[in-house]
Coordinates of all heavy atoms in Angstrom, one line a residue:
M1 N -89.6 20.9 -58.0 CA -89.5 20.0 -56.9 C -88.3 20.4 -56.0 O -88.4 20.4 -54.8 CB -89.3 18.5 -57.4 CG -89.2 17.5 -56.3 SD -90.9 17.3 -55.7 CE -90.6 15.8 -54.8
A2 N -87.2 20.7 -56.6 CA -86.0 21.1 -55.8 C -86.2 22.4 -55.1 O -85.6 22.7 -54.0 CB -84.8 21.2 -56.7
D3 N -87.0 23.3 -55.7 CA -87.3 24.6 -55.0 C -88.1 24.4 -53.7 O -87.9 25.2 -52.8 CB -88.1 25.5 -56.0 CG -87.3 25.9 -57.2 OD1 -86.0 25.9 -57.1 OD2 -87.9 26.2 -58.2
T4 N -88.9 23.4 -53.6 CA -89.7 23.2 -52.4 C -88.9 22.5 -51.3 O -89.1 22.7 -50.1 CB -90.9 22.4 -52.6 OG1 -90.5 21.1 -53.2 CG2 -91.9 23.1 -53.6
A5 N -87.8 21.8 -51.7 CA -87.0 21.1 -50.7 C -86.1 22.1 -49.9 O -85.8 21.9 -48.7 CB -86.1 20.1 -51.3
I6 N -85.7 23.2 -50.5 CA -84.8 24.1 -49.9 C -85.4 24.8 -48.7 O -84.9 24.9 -47.6 CB -84.2 25.1 -50.9 CG1 -83.3 24.4 -51.8 CG2 -83.4 26.2 -50.2 CD1 -82.8 25.2 -53.0
P7 N -86.7 25.3 -48.8 CA -87.3 25.9 -47.6 C -87.5 24.9 -46.5 O -87.4 25.3 -45.3 CB -88.6 26.5 -48.2 CG -88.4 26.7 -49.6 CD -87.4 25.6 -50.0
I8 N -87.8 23.7 -46.8 CA -88.0 22.7 -45.8 C -86.7 22.5 -45.0 O -86.7 22.4 -43.8 CB -88.5 21.4 -46.4 CG1 -90.0 21.6 -46.9 CG2 -88.5 20.2 -45.4 CD1 -90.5 20.4 -47.7
L9 N -85.6 22.4 -45.7 CA -84.3 22.2 -45.0 C -84.0 23.4 -44.1 O -83.5 23.3 -43.0 CB -83.2 22.0 -46.0 CG -83.2 20.6 -46.7 CD1 -82.1 20.5 -47.7 CD2 -83.0 19.5 -45.7
K10 N -84.3 24.6 -44.6 CA -84.0 25.8 -43.8 C -84.9 25.8 -42.6 O -84.5 26.2 -41.5 CB -84.3 27.1 -44.7 CG -83.2 27.3 -45.7 CD -83.4 28.6 -46.4 CE -82.3 28.8 -47.4 NZ -82.4 30.0 -48.2
D11 N -86.2 25.4 -42.7 CA -87.0 25.3 -41.6 C -86.5 24.3 -40.6 O -86.6 24.5 -39.4 CB -88.5 24.9 -42.0 CG -89.2 26.1 -42.7 OD1 -88.7 27.2 -42.5 OD2 -90.2 25.8 -43.4
R12 N -86.0 23.2 -41.0 CA -85.5 22.1 -40.1 C -84.3 22.7 -39.4 O -84.1 22.4 -38.3 CB -85.2 20.9 -40.9 CG -85.0 19.7 -40.0 CD -85.0 18.4 -40.7 NE -86.4 18.1 -41.1 CZ -86.8 17.4 -42.1 NH1 -85.9 16.9 -42.9 NH2 -88.0 17.1 -42.4
R13 N -83.4 23.4 -40.1 CA -82.2 24.0 -39.5 C -82.6 25.0 -38.4 O -82.1 25.0 -37.4 CB -81.4 24.7 -40.6 CG -80.1 25.1 -40.1 CD -79.3 25.7 -41.3 NE -77.9 25.9 -41.0 CZ -77.4 26.8 -40.2 NH1 -78.2 27.6 -39.5 NH2 -76.1 26.9 -40.0
K14 N -83.6 25.8 -38.7 CA -84.1 26.8 -37.7 C -84.7 26.0 -36.5 O -84.5 26.4 -35.4 CB -85.2 27.7 -38.3 CG -84.7 28.8 -39.2 CD -85.9 29.6 -39.7 CE -85.4 30.6 -40.7 NZ -86.6 31.4 -41.2
W15 N -85.4 24.9 -36.7 CA -86.0 24.2 -35.6 C -84.8 23.6 -34.8 O -84.9 23.6 -33.5 CB -86.8 23.0 -36.2 CG -87.5 22.2 -35.2 CD1 -88.6 22.5 -34.5 CD2 -87.0 20.9 -34.7 NE1 -88.9 21.5 -33.6 CE2 -88.0 20.5 -33.7 CE3 -86.0 20.1 -35.0 CZ2 -87.8 19.3 -33.1 CZ3 -85.8 18.9 -34.4 CH2 -86.7 18.5 -33.4
L16 N -83.8 23.1 -35.4 CA -82.7 22.5 -34.7 C -82.0 23.6 -33.8 O -81.6 23.4 -32.7 CB -81.6 21.9 -35.6 CG -82.0 20.5 -36.1 CD1 -81.1 20.1 -37.2 CD2 -82.1 19.5 -35.0
L17 N -81.8 24.8 -34.4 CA -81.2 25.9 -33.7 C -82.1 26.3 -32.5 O -81.6 26.5 -31.4 CB -81.1 27.1 -34.6 CG -79.8 27.2 -35.4 CD1 -79.8 28.4 -36.4 CD2 -78.6 27.3 -34.5
R18 N -83.4 26.3 -32.7 CA -84.3 26.6 -31.6 C -84.2 25.6 -30.5 O -84.3 25.9 -29.3 CB -85.8 26.7 -32.1 CG -86.7 27.3 -31.1 CD -88.1 27.6 -31.7 NE -88.0 28.3 -33.0 CZ -88.6 27.8 -34.1 NH1 -89.3 26.7 -34.1 NH2 -88.5 28.5 -35.2
L19 N -84.1 24.3 -30.9 CA -84.0 23.2 -29.9 C -82.7 23.4 -29.1 O -82.7 23.2 -27.9 CB -83.9 21.9 -30.7 CG -83.9 20.6 -29.8 CD1 -85.2 20.5 -29.0 CD2 -83.8 19.4 -30.7
I20 N -81.6 23.8 -29.7 CA -80.4 24.0 -29.0 C -80.6 25.2 -28.0 O -80.2 25.1 -26.8 CB -79.2 24.3 -29.9 CG1 -78.9 23.1 -30.8 CG2 -78.0 24.8 -29.2 CD1 -78.0 23.3 -31.9
Y21 N -81.1 26.3 -28.4 CA -81.4 27.4 -27.5 C -82.3 27.1 -26.4 O -82.0 27.5 -25.2 CB -81.9 28.6 -28.3 CG -81.0 29.2 -29.3 CD1 -81.4 29.6 -30.6 CD2 -79.6 29.4 -29.0 CE1 -80.5 30.2 -31.5 CE2 -78.7 30.0 -29.9 CZ -79.2 30.3 -31.2 OH -78.3 30.9 -32.1
V22 N -83.4 26.4 -26.7 CA -84.3 26.0 -25.6 C -83.6 25.1 -24.6 O -83.8 25.3 -23.4 CB -85.6 25.4 -26.2 CG1 -86.4 24.8 -25.1 CG2 -86.4 26.5 -26.9
R23 N -82.8 24.2 -25.1 CA -82.1 23.3 -24.1 C -81.2 24.1 -23.2 O -81.2 23.9 -22.0 CB -81.3 22.3 -24.9 CG -80.5 21.3 -24.1 CD -79.5 20.5 -24.8 NE -80.1 19.8 -25.9 CZ -79.9 20.1 -27.2 NH1 -79.1 21.1 -27.5 NH2 -80.5 19.4 -28.2
L24 N -80.4 25.0 -23.8 CA -79.5 25.8 -23.0 C -80.3 26.6 -22.0 O -79.9 26.7 -20.8 CB -78.7 26.7 -23.9 CG -77.6 26.1 -24.7 CD1 -77.0 27.1 -25.6 CD2 -76.5 25.5 -23.7
A25 N -81.4 27.2 -22.4 CA -82.2 28.1 -21.5 C -82.8 27.2 -20.3 O -82.7 27.6 -19.2 CB -83.3 28.8 -22.2
V26 N -83.4 26.1 -20.7 CA -84.1 25.3 -19.7 C -83.1 24.7 -18.7 O -83.3 24.8 -17.5 CB -85.0 24.2 -20.4 CG1 -85.4 23.2 -19.4 CG2 -86.1 24.8 -21.1
F27 N -82.1 24.1 -19.2 CA -81.1 23.5 -18.3 C -80.4 24.5 -17.4 O -80.2 24.3 -16.2 CB -80.1 22.7 -19.0 CG -80.4 21.2 -19.2 CD1 -81.1 20.8 -20.3 CD2 -80.2 20.3 -18.2 CE1 -81.5 19.5 -20.4 CE2 -80.6 19.0 -18.3 CZ -81.2 18.6 -19.4
T28 N -80.1 25.7 -18.0 CA -79.5 26.8 -17.2 C -80.4 27.2 -16.1 O -80.0 27.4 -14.9 CB -79.1 28.0 -18.1 OG1 -78.2 27.5 -19.1 CG2 -78.4 29.1 -17.3
L29 N -81.7 27.4 -16.4 CA -82.7 27.8 -15.4 C -82.8 26.8 -14.3 O -82.8 27.2 -13.1 CB -84.0 28.1 -16.1 CG -85.2 28.5 -15.2 CD1 -85.0 29.9 -14.7 CD2 -86.5 28.4 -15.9
F30 N -83.0 25.6 -14.6 CA -83.2 24.5 -13.6 C -82.0 24.3 -12.8 O -82.0 24.1 -11.6 CB -83.7 23.2 -14.2 CG -85.2 23.3 -14.6 CD1 -85.6 23.1 -15.9 CD2 -86.1 23.6 -13.7 CE1 -86.9 23.1 -16.3 CE2 -87.5 23.7 -14.0 CZ -87.9 23.4 -15.3
V31 N -80.8 24.3 -13.4 CA -79.6 24.1 -12.6 C -79.3 25.3 -11.7 O -78.9 25.1 -10.6 CB -78.4 23.8 -13.6 CG1 -77.1 23.8 -12.8 CG2 -78.6 22.4 -14.2
A32 N -79.6 26.5 -12.2 CA -79.4 27.7 -11.4 C -80.3 27.7 -10.2 O -80.0 28.0 -9.1 CB -79.6 28.9 -12.2
A33 N -81.6 27.3 -10.5 CA -82.6 27.2 -9.4 C -82.2 26.2 -8.3 O -82.2 26.4 -7.1 CB -84.0 26.9 -9.9
E34 N -81.7 25.0 -8.8 CA -81.3 24.0 -7.9 C -80.0 24.4 -7.2 O -79.8 24.1 -6.0 CB -81.1 22.6 -8.6 CG -80.7 21.5 -7.8 CD -81.8 21.0 -6.8 OE1 -83.0 21.3 -7.1 OE2 -81.5 20.4 -5.8
G35 N -79.1 25.1 -7.9 CA -77.9 25.6 -7.3 C -78.1 26.6 -6.2 O -77.4 26.6 -5.2
I36 N -79.1 27.4 -6.3 CA -79.5 28.4 -5.3 C -80.1 27.6 -4.1 O -79.8 28.0 -3.0 CB -80.5 29.4 -5.9 CG1 -79.7 30.3 -6.9 CG2 -81.1 30.3 -4.8 CD1 -80.6 31.2 -7.7
R37 N -81.0 26.7 -4.4 CA -81.7 26.0 -3.3 C -80.7 25.1 -2.5 O -80.7 25.1 -1.3 CB -82.8 25.1 -3.9 CG -83.7 24.5 -2.9 CD -84.8 23.6 -3.5 NE -84.3 22.4 -4.2 CZ -84.1 21.3 -3.5 NH1 -84.4 21.2 -2.2 NH2 -83.7 20.2 -4.1
K38 N -79.9 24.3 -3.2 CA -79.0 23.4 -2.6 C -77.8 23.2 -3.5 O -77.8 22.4 -4.4 CB -79.7 22.1 -2.3 CG -78.9 21.1 -1.5 CD -79.7 19.9 -1.2 CE -79.0 19.0 -0.2 NZ -79.7 17.8 0.1
P39 N -76.7 24.0 -3.3 CA -75.6 23.9 -4.2 C -75.0 22.5 -4.2 O -74.8 21.9 -3.2 CB -74.6 24.9 -3.6 CG -75.4 25.8 -2.7 CD -76.6 25.0 -2.2
S40 N -74.6 22.1 -5.4 CA -74.0 20.8 -5.6 C -73.1 20.9 -6.8 O -73.5 21.4 -7.9 CB -75.1 19.8 -5.8 OG -74.5 18.5 -6.3
A41 N -71.9 20.3 -6.7 CA -71.0 20.3 -7.8 C -71.5 19.4 -9.0 O -71.3 19.7 -10.1 CB -69.7 19.8 -7.4
D42 N -72.3 18.4 -8.7 CA -72.9 17.6 -9.7 C -73.8 18.3 -10.7 O -73.8 18.1 -11.9 CB -73.7 16.4 -9.1 CG -72.8 15.5 -8.3 OD1 -71.6 15.4 -8.6 OD2 -73.4 14.8 -7.4
M43 N -74.5 19.3 -10.1 CA -75.4 20.1 -11.0 C -74.6 20.9 -12.0 O -75.0 21.1 -13.1 CB -76.3 21.0 -10.1 CG -77.3 20.2 -9.2 SD -78.4 19.1 -10.2 CE -79.5 20.3 -10.8
F44 N -73.5 21.4 -11.5 CA -72.7 22.3 -12.4 C -71.9 21.4 -13.4 O -71.7 21.9 -14.5 CB -71.8 23.2 -11.6 CG -72.6 24.2 -10.8 CD1 -72.7 24.1 -9.4 CD2 -73.3 25.2 -11.4 CE1 -73.4 25.0 -8.7 CE2 -74.1 26.1 -10.7 CZ -74.2 26.0 -9.3
V45 N -71.6 20.2 -13.0 CA -71.1 19.3 -14.0 C -72.1 18.9 -15.1 O -71.7 18.9 -16.3 CB -70.6 18.0 -13.3 CG1 -70.2 16.9 -14.3 CG2 -69.4 18.3 -12.4
L46 N -73.3 18.8 -14.7 CA -74.4 18.5 -15.7 C -74.5 19.7 -16.6 O -74.7 19.6 -17.8 CB -75.7 18.3 -14.9 CG -76.9 18.2 -15.8 CD1 -76.9 16.9 -16.7 CD2 -78.2 18.2 -15.0
L47 N -74.5 20.9 -16.1 CA -74.6 22.1 -16.9 C -73.5 22.2 -17.8 O -73.7 22.6 -19.0 CB -74.7 23.4 -16.0 CG -75.1 24.6 -16.7 CD1 -76.4 24.5 -17.4 CD2 -75.1 25.8 -15.7
A48 N -72.3 21.9 -17.4 CA -71.1 21.9 -18.3 C -71.3 20.9 -19.4 O -70.9 21.2 -20.6 CB -69.8 21.7 -17.5
A49 N -71.8 19.7 -19.1 CA -72.0 18.7 -20.1 C -73.1 19.2 -21.1 O -72.9 19.0 -22.3 CB -72.5 17.4 -19.4
V50 N -74.1 19.9 -20.7 CA -75.1 20.4 -21.6 C -74.5 21.5 -22.5 O -74.8 21.5 -23.7 CB -76.3 20.9 -20.8 CG1 -77.3 21.7 -21.7 CG2 -77.1 19.8 -20.2
Y51 N -73.7 22.3 -21.9 CA -73.0 23.4 -22.7 C -72.1 22.7 -23.7 O -72.0 23.2 -24.9 CB -72.3 24.4 -21.9 CG -73.2 25.4 -21.2 CD1 -72.7 26.2 -20.2 CD2 -74.5 25.5 -21.5 CE1 -73.4 27.2 -19.6 CE2 -75.3 26.5 -20.9 CZ -74.8 27.3 -19.9 OH -75.6 28.2 -19.3
G52 N -71.3 21.7 -23.3 CA -70.4 21.0 -24.2 C -71.2 20.3 -25.4 O -70.8 20.4 -26.5
L53 N -72.3 19.6 -25.0 CA -73.1 19.0 -26.1 C -73.7 20.0 -27.0 O -73.8 19.8 -28.2 CB -74.2 18.2 -25.4 CG -73.8 16.8 -24.9 CD1 -74.9 16.2 -24.0 CD2 -73.4 15.9 -26.0
S54 N -74.1 21.1 -26.5 CA -74.7 22.2 -27.3 C -73.7 22.7 -28.3 O -74.0 23.0 -29.4 CB -75.3 23.3 -26.5 OG -76.4 22.8 -25.7
A55 N -72.5 22.9 -27.8 CA -71.4 23.3 -28.7 C -71.2 22.3 -29.8 O -71.0 22.7 -31.0 CB -70.1 23.6 -27.9
C56 N -71.2 21.0 -29.5 CA -71.1 20.0 -30.5 C -72.3 20.0 -31.5 O -72.1 19.9 -32.7 CB -71.0 18.6 -29.9 SG -69.5 18.3 -28.9
W57 N -73.5 20.3 -31.0 CA -74.6 20.3 -31.9 C -74.5 21.5 -32.8 O -74.9 21.4 -34.0 CB -75.9 20.4 -31.1 CG -76.3 19.2 -30.3 CD1 -76.7 19.2 -29.0 CD2 -76.3 17.8 -30.7 NE1 -76.9 17.9 -28.6 CE2 -76.7 17.0 -29.6 CE3 -76.1 17.2 -31.9 CZ2 -76.8 15.7 -29.7 CZ3 -76.2 15.8 -32.0 CH2 -76.6 15.1 -30.9
F58 N -74.0 22.7 -32.3 CA -73.8 23.8 -33.2 C -72.8 23.5 -34.3 O -73.0 23.9 -35.4 CB -73.3 25.0 -32.3 CG -74.4 25.9 -31.7 CD1 -74.3 26.1 -30.4 CD2 -75.4 26.5 -32.5 CE1 -75.3 26.9 -29.8 CE2 -76.3 27.2 -31.9 CZ -76.3 27.5 -30.5
A59 N -71.7 22.9 -33.9 CA -70.7 22.5 -34.9 C -71.3 21.6 -35.9 O -71.0 21.7 -37.1 CB -69.5 21.9 -34.2
L60 N -72.0 20.6 -35.5 CA -72.6 19.6 -36.4 C -73.6 20.3 -37.3 O -73.7 19.9 -38.5 CB -73.3 18.5 -35.7 CG -72.4 17.3 -35.2 CD1 -73.2 16.3 -34.4 CD2 -71.9 16.6 -36.5
L61 N -74.3 21.3 -36.8 CA -75.3 22.0 -37.6 C -74.6 22.7 -38.7 O -75.2 22.8 -39.8 CB -76.1 22.9 -36.7 CG -77.4 23.5 -37.3 CD1 -78.3 22.4 -37.7 CD2 -78.0 24.4 -36.3
R62 N -73.5 23.2 -38.5 CA -72.7 24.0 -39.5 C -72.1 23.0 -40.5 O -72.0 23.3 -41.7 CB -71.7 24.9 -38.9 CG -72.3 26.0 -38.0 CD -71.3 27.0 -37.6 NE -70.6 27.7 -38.6 CZ -71.0 28.8 -39.2 NH1 -72.2 29.3 -38.9 NH2 -70.3 29.4 -40.2
L63 N -71.6 21.9 -40.1 CA -70.9 21.0 -40.9 C -71.7 19.9 -41.6 O -71.4 19.5 -42.7 CB -69.8 20.2 -40.1 CG -68.7 21.1 -39.5 CD1 -67.8 20.3 -38.5 CD2 -67.9 21.9 -40.5
N64 N -72.8 19.5 -40.9 CA -73.6 18.4 -41.4 C -74.8 18.9 -42.2 O -75.4 20.0 -41.9 CB -74.1 17.7 -40.1 CG -74.8 16.4 -40.4 OD1 -74.8 15.9 -41.5 ND2 -75.5 15.8 -39.5
K65 N -75.2 18.2 -43.2 CA -76.4 18.5 -43.9 C -77.6 17.5 -43.7 O -78.6 17.7 -44.2 CB -76.1 18.6 -45.4 CG -75.1 19.6 -45.8 CD -75.6 21.0 -45.4 CE -74.5 22.1 -45.7 NZ -74.6 23.3 -45.0
S66 N -77.3 16.5 -42.9 CA -78.4 15.6 -42.6 C -79.1 16.0 -41.3 O -78.9 15.5 -40.2 CB -77.8 14.2 -42.4 OG -78.8 13.3 -42.0
Y67 N -80.0 16.9 -41.5 CA -80.7 17.5 -40.4 C -81.7 16.5 -39.7 O -81.9 16.6 -38.5 CB -81.5 18.8 -40.8 CG -80.6 19.9 -41.4 CD1 -80.9 20.6 -42.5 CD2 -79.4 20.2 -40.7 CE1 -80.1 21.6 -43.0 CE2 -78.6 21.2 -41.2 CZ -78.9 21.9 -42.3 OH -78.1 22.9 -42.8
V68 N -82.2 15.6 -40.5 CA -83.1 14.6 -39.9 C -82.4 13.8 -38.9 O -82.9 13.6 -37.8 CB -83.8 13.8 -41.0 CG1 -84.6 12.7 -40.4 CG2 -84.6 14.6 -42.0
A69 N -81.3 13.2 -39.3 CA -80.5 12.4 -38.4 C -80.1 13.2 -37.1 O -80.1 12.7 -36.0 CB -79.2 11.8 -39.1
Q70 N -79.7 14.4 -37.3 CA -79.2 15.2 -36.2 C -80.4 15.5 -35.3 O -80.3 15.6 -34.0 CB -78.6 16.5 -36.6 CG -78.1 17.3 -35.5 CD -77.3 18.6 -35.9 OE1 -76.9 18.7 -37.0 NE2 -77.0 19.4 -34.9
S71 N -81.6 15.8 -35.8 CA -82.8 16.0 -35.0 C -83.1 14.8 -34.1 O -83.4 14.9 -32.9 CB -84.0 16.5 -35.7 OG -84.2 15.8 -36.9
Y72 N -83.0 13.6 -34.7 CA -83.3 12.4 -33.9 C -82.2 12.2 -32.8 O -82.5 11.9 -31.7 CB -83.3 11.2 -34.8 CG -84.6 11.0 -35.5 CD1 -84.6 11.0 -36.9 CD2 -85.8 10.8 -34.9 CE1 -85.8 10.8 -37.6 CE2 -87.0 10.6 -35.5 CZ -87.0 10.6 -36.9 OH -88.2 10.4 -37.6
A73 N -81.0 12.5 -33.2 CA -79.9 12.4 -32.2 C -80.0 13.4 -31.1 O -79.9 13.0 -29.9 CB -78.5 12.6 -32.9
Q74 N -80.4 14.6 -31.4 CA -80.6 15.6 -30.3 C -81.7 15.3 -29.4 O -81.6 15.4 -28.2 CB -80.8 17.0 -31.0 CG -79.6 17.7 -31.4 CD -79.9 19.1 -31.9 OE1 -81.0 19.5 -32.0 NE2 -78.8 19.9 -32.0
I75 N -82.8 14.8 -29.9 CA -83.9 14.4 -29.1 C -83.6 13.2 -28.2 O -83.9 13.2 -27.0 CB -85.2 14.2 -29.9 CG1 -85.7 15.6 -30.5 CG2 -86.3 13.6 -29.1 CD1 -86.8 15.5 -31.5
A76 N -82.9 12.3 -28.8 CA -82.5 11.1 -28.0 C -81.6 11.5 -26.9 O -81.7 11.0 -25.7 CB -81.8 10.0 -28.9
V77 N -80.6 12.3 -27.1 CA -79.7 12.7 -26.1 C -80.4 13.6 -25.1 O -80.1 13.4 -23.9 CB -78.5 13.5 -26.7 CG1 -77.6 14.2 -25.6 CG2 -77.6 12.6 -27.5
D78 N -81.3 14.4 -25.5 CA -82.1 15.2 -24.5 C -82.9 14.3 -23.6 O -83.0 14.5 -22.4 CB -83.0 16.2 -25.2 CG -82.3 17.4 -25.8 OD1 -81.1 17.6 -25.4 OD2 -82.9 18.1 -26.6
L79 N -83.5 13.3 -24.2 CA -84.3 12.4 -23.3 C -83.4 11.6 -22.3 O -83.8 11.4 -21.2 CB -85.0 11.3 -24.2 CG -86.2 11.9 -25.0 CD1 -86.8 10.9 -26.0 CD2 -87.3 12.4 -24.1
L80 N -82.2 11.3 -22.8 CA -81.2 10.6 -21.8 C -80.8 11.6 -20.7 O -80.7 11.2 -19.6 CB -80.0 10.1 -22.6 CG -80.2 8.9 -23.5 CD1 -79.0 8.6 -24.3 CD2 -80.6 7.7 -22.6
L81 N -80.6 12.9 -21.1 CA -80.2 13.8 -20.1 C -81.3 14.1 -19.1 O -81.1 14.1 -17.9 CB -79.8 15.2 -20.7 CG -78.5 15.3 -21.4 CD1 -78.3 16.5 -22.2 CD2 -77.4 15.2 -20.4
I82 N -82.5 14.2 -19.6 CA -83.7 14.5 -18.7 C -83.9 13.3 -17.8 O -84.2 13.4 -16.6 CB -84.9 14.8 -19.5 CG1 -84.7 16.2 -20.2 CG2 -86.2 14.8 -18.7 CD1 -85.7 16.5 -21.3
T83 N -83.9 12.1 -18.4 CA -84.1 10.8 -17.6 C -83.0 10.7 -16.5 O -83.3 10.4 -15.4 CB -84.1 9.6 -18.5 OG1 -85.1 9.8 -19.5 CG2 -84.3 8.3 -17.7
G84 N -81.7 10.9 -16.9 CA -80.6 10.9 -15.9 C -80.8 11.9 -14.8 O -80.6 11.6 -13.6
Q85 N -81.2 13.1 -15.2 CA -81.4 14.1 -14.2 C -82.5 13.8 -13.2 O -82.4 14.0 -12.0 CB -81.6 15.5 -14.9 CG -82.0 16.6 -13.9 CD -80.8 16.9 -13.0 OE1 -79.7 16.7 -13.3 NE2 -81.2 17.4 -11.8
A86 N -83.6 13.3 -13.8 CA -84.7 12.9 -12.9 C -84.3 11.7 -12.0 O -84.7 11.7 -10.8 CB -85.9 12.5 -13.8
A87 N -83.6 10.7 -12.5 CA -83.2 9.6 -11.7 C -82.2 10.1 -10.6 O -82.3 9.6 -9.4 CB -82.6 8.5 -12.5
W88 N -81.3 11.0 -10.9 CA -80.4 11.5 -9.9 C -81.1 12.3 -8.9 O -80.8 12.1 -7.7 CB -79.3 12.3 -10.6 CG -78.3 12.9 -9.7 CD1 -77.2 12.2 -9.2 CD2 -78.3 14.2 -9.1 NE1 -76.5 13.0 -8.4 CE2 -77.1 14.2 -8.3 CE3 -79.1 15.3 -9.2 CZ2 -76.8 15.3 -7.6 CZ3 -78.8 16.4 -8.5 CH2 -77.6 16.4 -7.7
T89 N -82.1 13.1 -9.2 CA -82.8 13.9 -8.3 C -83.6 13.0 -7.3 O -83.7 13.2 -6.1 CB -83.8 14.8 -9.0 OG1 -83.0 15.6 -9.9 CG2 -84.5 15.7 -8.0
V90 N -84.3 11.9 -7.9 CA -85.1 11.0 -7.0 C -84.2 10.3 -6.1 O -84.5 10.2 -4.9 CB -85.8 10.0 -7.9 CG1 -86.4 8.9 -7.1 CG2 -87.0 10.7 -8.7
T91 N -83.0 9.8 -6.5 CA -82.1 9.2 -5.7 C -81.6 10.1 -4.6 O -81.5 9.7 -3.4 CB -80.8 8.6 -6.5 OG1 -81.3 7.8 -7.5 CG2 -79.9 7.9 -5.6
L92 N -81.3 11.3 -4.9 CA -80.8 12.3 -3.9 C -81.9 12.6 -2.9 O -81.7 12.6 -1.7 CB -80.4 13.6 -4.6 CG -79.9 14.7 -3.7 CD1 -78.6 14.3 -3.1 CD2 -79.7 16.0 -4.5
C93 N -83.2 12.7 -3.3 CA -84.3 13.0 -2.4 C -84.5 11.8 -1.5 O -84.8 12.0 -0.3 CB -85.6 13.3 -3.2 SG -85.6 14.8 -4.0
R94 N -84.4 10.6 -2.0 CA -84.6 9.4 -1.1 C -83.4 9.3 -0.1 O -83.7 9.0 1.1 CB -84.6 8.1 -1.9 CG -85.8 7.9 -2.7 CD -85.8 6.6 -3.4 NE -87.0 6.5 -4.2 CZ -87.2 5.6 -5.2 NH1 -86.2 4.9 -5.5 NH2 -88.3 5.6 -5.9
C95 N -82.2 9.7 -0.5 CA -81.1 9.6 0.5 C -81.2 10.6 1.6 O -81.0 10.4 2.7 CB -79.8 9.8 -0.3 SG -79.3 8.4 -1.3
T96 N -81.6 11.8 1.2 CA -81.7 12.9 2.2 C -82.9 12.7 3.1 O -82.9 13.0 4.3 CB -81.8 14.3 1.5 OG1 -82.9 14.3 0.6 CG2 -80.5 14.6 0.8
S97 N -84.1 12.2 2.6 CA -85.2 12.0 3.4 C -85.0 10.7 4.3 O -85.6 10.7 5.4 CB -86.5 11.8 2.6 OG -86.4 10.6 1.8
W98 N -84.2 9.8 3.9 CA -84.0 8.6 4.7 C -83.1 9.0 5.9 O -83.3 8.4 7.0 CB -83.2 7.6 3.8 CG -82.8 6.3 4.6 CD1 -83.7 5.4 5.0 CD2 -81.6 6.0 5.0 NE1 -83.0 4.4 5.6 CE2 -81.7 4.7 5.7 CE3 -80.3 6.5 4.9 CZ2 -80.6 4.1 6.2 CZ3 -79.2 5.9 5.5 CH2 -79.4 4.7 6.1
R99 N -82.2 9.9 5.7 CA -81.3 10.3 6.8 C -82.1 11.2 7.9 O -81.7 11.2 9.0 CB -80.2 11.2 6.3 CG -79.2 10.4 5.5 CD -78.1 11.2 5.0 NE -77.3 10.5 4.0 CZ -76.5 11.1 3.2 NH1 -76.3 12.4 3.2 NH2 -75.8 10.3 2.3
S100 N -83.1 11.8 7.5 CA -83.8 12.7 8.4 C -84.6 12.0 9.4 O -85.1 10.9 9.3 CB -84.7 13.7 7.6 OG -84.0 14.4 6.7

């Protein structure tokens, strides 16, 4: 029984690492594209926050053995970041289109 639990934990650890890498790649791509289209300091603050959170997730992954709790936490924080980014973008679009 114990032999089957070890591969599952390693798979979960790999999944968490992949989640961190994908988050970094996706946010970097979208912030860079938005920064080229319309430079904004807020976008780079968001990118710095994502990099900081990813560093924390890396540290937790090395120190923590509760991968299930960390995976729920990472997904919850990602959803908050995505929701916040979408709300900020919608607000920005409404403000700029209202002025035109």
